């Protein structure tokens, strides 16, 4: 299989072109050859008719003029010139036998001398002929090819045939004589040759020109594609801003250019996100690492009290826990990017799951709740993580006035987590689900409990999306914040 589209295109069109030119040439050759053959046949018919006419003339004369008494006849006994019946064994049906006729020698000599072809024909100048009597005796032949026998005209119909490079016509003459006229086919071929040669030359010229044209056209067609490919090839992780200018490509390729441009944009965006993600992740890991190193260096710089060592180790432990939590979240996001491989899809009693999350609240935390039955299909571990993140955020920001509600409505399980905390400014709302986005970075860093890296809500969104649901946030600064999760409810069967 040829891998080049251009080559395939050219091969196919070349095949079509060659086929068309050959077909046309053959049609022209065939129709001219046919008309020459018809002309040739016409000339043979004229010659046969002339011979037939001569024979008829003598035939009727001899029949109507009986030989004068006592006058000698031709040959010994009755010459079987036009005897009635054909041969001894095959009288033709419907044939009325004519009386045996004897021809006087001088009449016979005159007949034989007058029995000749008409003046030279146009395309069959080398005609030959032969006339046989009814019993198969050859009366006269001129130029007859060797080995030519009297044709068998059993049904009396004239017929044309091709034999040994000759075209021949056989007809039944008077008294069931047989007339054969023929001519070599060679003049037809000779006349066709200039035409064939011109057809060959013209056809080859057309094919060569056609192929050149195709090559040029295919070059023109593939030029813009090449340009597009060059632009795509120019893209790299460092220079992703190259785009194809749709104005410079042909109308047919504009859709392709637009699609590719939007793919390039998505690619660029995803590269940027990835780079930002890596930078943010390393930045977030660097802080607790720096703390650990700082504490260790400080503790080791000089001998200290045991209490100081314990304090330093406690700080190190806190930082290590933060790092562990961060790594855990990063892993969750990496799994989310790979569409949570191994994600379960089992019936989950969401009411039970949310209640158990609320039952594990940290000491002193109270949450107002209204939990109604709701069943969903999904991964219980991920759904638990979702509920935990939202409740933890509400508690972190809303303090004591947190309310969690769950109900099933119109085929959806609706989970709401509301708190009366400081709220989120309108400008931050569209970005709070972005990875590493924190509303107040300084505060988040200093007040870090679990999380604090700005990953919790993005993990929530990934979980909700993978379960076919949606998550939104409404907030009034200084008043309240409401997170609303909608998941497809599982119908009880
Ligand atoms: P983190 O893991 O740092 O808490 P999140 O992704 O959970 O990050 O939250 C992103 C940002 O949204 C946080 O910086 C936080 O300030 C803000 N936020 C989240 N939940 C609330 C809430 N209930 N009230 C006010 N701000 C919130």
């Amino acid at each position: 299989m040829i891998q080049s589209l251009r080559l395939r295109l050219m091969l196919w069109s070349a095949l079509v072109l060659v086929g068309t030119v050959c077909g046309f040439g053959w049609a022209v050759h065939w129709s001219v050859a046919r008309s020459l053959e018809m002309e040739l046949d016409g000339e043979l018919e004229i010659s046969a008719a002339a011979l037939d006419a001569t024979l008829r003339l003598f035939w009727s004369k001899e029949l109507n003029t009986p030989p004068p008494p006592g006058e000698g006849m031709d040959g010994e006994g009755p010459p079987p010139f036009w005897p009635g019946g054909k041969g001894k064994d095959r009288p033709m049906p419907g044939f009325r036998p004519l009386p045996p006729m004897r021809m006087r020698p001088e009449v016979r000599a005159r007949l034989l001398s007058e029995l000749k072809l008409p003046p030279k024909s146009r395309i069959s100048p080398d005609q030959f002929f032969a006339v046989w009597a009814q019993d198969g005796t050859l009366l006269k032949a001129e130029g007859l090819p060797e080995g030519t026998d009297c044709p068998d005209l059993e049904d009396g119909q004239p017929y044309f045939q091709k034999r040994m490079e000759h075209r021949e016509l056989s007809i039944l003459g008077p008294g069931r004589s047989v007339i054969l006229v023929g001519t070599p086919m060679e003049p037809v071929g000779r006349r066709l040759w200039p035409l064939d040669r011109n057809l060959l030359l013209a056809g080859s010229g057309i094919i060569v020109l056609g192929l050149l044209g195709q090559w040029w056209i295919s070059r023109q067609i593939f030029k813009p594609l090449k340009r597009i490919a060059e632009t795509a090839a120019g893209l790299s992780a460092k220079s992703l801003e190259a785009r194809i200018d749709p104005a410079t490509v042909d109308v047919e390729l504009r859709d392709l250019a637009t699609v590719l441009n939007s793919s390039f944009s998505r690619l660029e965006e995803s590269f940027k996100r990835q780079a930002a993600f890596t930078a943010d992740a390393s930045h977030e890991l660097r802080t607790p690492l720096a703390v650990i190193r700082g504490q260790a260096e400080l503790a080791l710089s000089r001998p200290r009290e045991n209490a100081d060592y314990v304090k330093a180790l406690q700080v190190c432990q806190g930082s290590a826990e933060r790092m562990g939590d961060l790594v855990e979240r990063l892993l969750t996001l990496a799994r989310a990017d790979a569409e949570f491989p191994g994600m379960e899809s089992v019936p989950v009693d969401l009411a039970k799951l949310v209640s158990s999350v609320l039952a594990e609240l940290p000491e002193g935390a109270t949450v107002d709740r209204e939990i109604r039955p709701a069943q969903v299909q999904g991964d219980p571990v991920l759904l638990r993580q979702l509920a935990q993140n939202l409740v933890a955020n509400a508690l972190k920001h809303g303090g004591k006035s947190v309310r969690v509600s769950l109900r099933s409505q119109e085929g959806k399980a609706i989970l709401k987590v509301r708190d009366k905390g400081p709220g989120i400014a309108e400008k931050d709302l569209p970005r709070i689900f972005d990875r590493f986005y924190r509303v107040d970075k300084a505060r988040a860093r200093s007040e870090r409990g679990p999380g604090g890296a700005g990953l919790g809500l993005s993990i929530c969104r990934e979980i909700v999306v993978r379960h076919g649901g949606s998550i939104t946030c409404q907030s009034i600064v200084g008043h309240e914040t409401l997170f609303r999760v909608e998941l497809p409810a599982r119908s009880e069967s």
Side-chain angles (χ1 to χ4, degrees):
M1 178 73 184
I2 300 166
Q3 288 296 317
S4 160
L5 178 63
R6 188 174 167 194
L7 205 64
R8 269 206 317 271
L9 201 74
M10 281 194 62
L11 269 178
W12 276 113
S13 43
L15 263 176
V16 172
L17 182 69
V18 171
T20 313
V21 169
C22 288
F24 176 77
W26 183 84
V28 172
H29 169 93
W30 184 83
S31 55
V32 172
R34 186 79 203 100
S35 79
L36 279 175
E37 248 177 60
M38 280 163 73
E39 206 178 322
L40 193 87
D41 289 353
E43 289 181 354
L44 290 179
E45 273 170 354
I46 291 169
S47 301
L51 292 168
D52 183 59
T54 311
L55 281 171
R56 274 176 204 286
L57 192 71
F58 280 83
W59 170 251
S60 57
K61 254 192 206 161
E62 277 307 297
L63 259 191
N64 298 333
T65 321
E71 206 165 287
M73 291 295 172
D74 172 28
E76 288 294 305
F81 198 2
W82 315 121
K86 184 173 186 246
K88 290 177 220 97
D89 46 351
R90 281 193 290 171
M92 291 296 292
F95 181 77
R96 194 162 57 83
L98 291 163
M101 191 191 79
R102 299 176 66 199
M103 194 174 273
R104 286 165 296 166
E106 74 274 13
V107 176
R108 180 188 173 97
R110 232 178 53 239
L111 165 64
L112 292 183
S113 75
E114 287 190 24
L115 206 52
K116 57 184 175 221
L117 290 167
K120 297 283 179 213
S121 308
R122 199 170 77 86
I123 55 168
S124 54
D126 305 322
Q127 281 186 14
F128 53 85
F129 79 94
V131 177
W132 287 270
Q134 183 185 18
D135 65 348
T137 317
L138 181 65
L139 287 180
K140 184 170 180 182
E142 260 179 26
L144 193 67
E146 250 177 67
T148 308
D149 293 329
C150 175
D152 186 5
L153 288 175
E154 211 172 296
D155 57 358
Q157 292 301 315
Y159 81 91
F160 287 98
Q161 69 166 347
K162 264 188 194 140
R163 198 175 61 87
M164 301 187 312
E165 307 293 315
H166 295 123
R167 181 85 175 154
E168 293 175 353
L169 165 65
S170 313
I171 64 167
L172 215 53
R176 299 202 70 80
S177 59
V178 174
I179 303 167
L180 180 141
V181 193
T183 182
M185 290 292 286
E186 192 254 343
V188 173
R190 217 174 32 236
R191 277 172 173 255
L192 275 175
W193 165 237
L195 174 77
D196 288 348
R197 189 192 50 213
N198 290 344
L199 281 174
L200 202 72
L201 283 175
S204 314
I206 289 172
I207 288 172
V208 169
L209 276 178
L211 288 179
L212 281 174
Q214 277 164 17
W215 176 80
W216 184 81
I217 289 171
S218 68
R219 233 174 88 99
Q220 296 307 108
I221 290 176
F222 286 98
K223 232 183 208 168
L225 280 179
K226 214 172 155 197
R227 219 169 31 238
I228 290 174
E230 277 164 9
T231 310
L235 288 182
S236 71
K238 277 184 194 148
S239 68
L240 280 167
E241 55 286 330
R243 294 289 180 275
I244 302 152
D245 182 1
T248 61
V249 294
D250 299 305
V251 183
E252 292 81 1
L253 293 174
R254 264 179 214 164
D255 283 349
L256 176 68
T258 313
V259 170
L260 283 176
N261 277 346
S262 75
S263 299
F264 296 160
S265 300
R266 279 204 304 277
L267 203 64
E268 185 180 14
E269 216 171 275
S270 125
F271 260 104
K272 279 185 179 160
R273 244 199 344 257
Q274 199 69 39
F277 183 75
T278 314
D280 284 341
S282 18
H283 181 74
E284 289 299 322
L285 284 169
R286 212 161 43 199
T287 314
L289 262 179
V291 172
I292 292 173
R293 184 187 287 160
Q295 286 297 320
E297 278 171 6
L298 192 69
L300 294 173
S301 59
R302 62 180 170 81
R304 291 177 188 275
E305 296 291 315
N306 277 352
D308 291 336
Y309 287 127
V310 170
K311 210 172 146 199
L313 283 173
Q314 278 170 343
V315 174
C316 288
Q317 188 186 20
S319 291
E321 273 169 12
R322 268 202 49 69
M323 276 171 67
D325 179 63
L326 187 64
V327 167
E328 206 55 53
R329 284 170 182 246
L330 288 174
L331 279 175
T332 309
L333 281 171
R335 285 182 63 225
D337 287 343
E339 302 194 358
F340 290 118
M343 176 179 148
E344 275 195 83
S345 178
V346 294
V348 178
D349 184 344
L350 203 56
K352 217 165 148 188
L353 187 141
V354 173
S355 300
S356 84
V357 168
L358 294 178
E360 293 163 7
L361 289 179
E363 226 170 280
T366 50
V367 169
D368 194 9
R369 68 198 72 178
E370 188 189 348
I371 310 293
R372 296 202 194 137
Q375 301 279 337
V376 294
Q377 184 82 14
D379 188 312
V381 177
L382 293 176
L383 291 171
R384 170 175 280 275
Q385 201 174 346
L386 166 72
Q388 273 172 341
N389 279 358
L390 292 178
V391 173
N393 269 358
L395 283 173
K396 193 159 68 177
H397 299 283
K400 291 197 173 147
S401 41
V402 175
R403 180 181 167 77
V404 175
S405 72
L406 175 71
R407 67 192 151 92
S408 197
Q409 190 187 346
E410 293 170 1
K412 285 173 184 159
I414 302 171
L415 171 70
K416 289 183 187 171
V417 180
R418 187 192 303 264
D419 69 74
K420 299 278 182 195
I424 302 168
E426 210 172 316
K427 70 171 175 52
D428 294 314
L429 273 179
R431 301 201 55 197
I432 51 168
F433 293 103
D434 290 353
R435 294 175 184 191
F436 292 108
Y437 189 77
R438 290 185 302 250
V439 171
D440 182 346
K441 292 180 183 162
R443 192 186 68 193
R445 242 174 239 284
S446 61
E447 290 172 8
R448 265 173 205 161
L455 294 176
L457 286 179
S458 46
I459 290 176
C460 287
R461 187 178 58 180
E462 295 290 351
I463 293 172
V464 172
V465 169
R466 300 292 170 212
H467 282 80
S470 63
I471 180 167
T472 54
C473 174
Q474 292 169 332
S475 185
I476 302 168
V477 177
H479 188 59
E480 68 166 18
T481 304
L482 167 68
F483 282 92
R484 181 190 165 100
V485 174
E486 283 187 11
L487 294 171
R490 191 173 165 273
S491 54
E492 293 294 328
S493 51

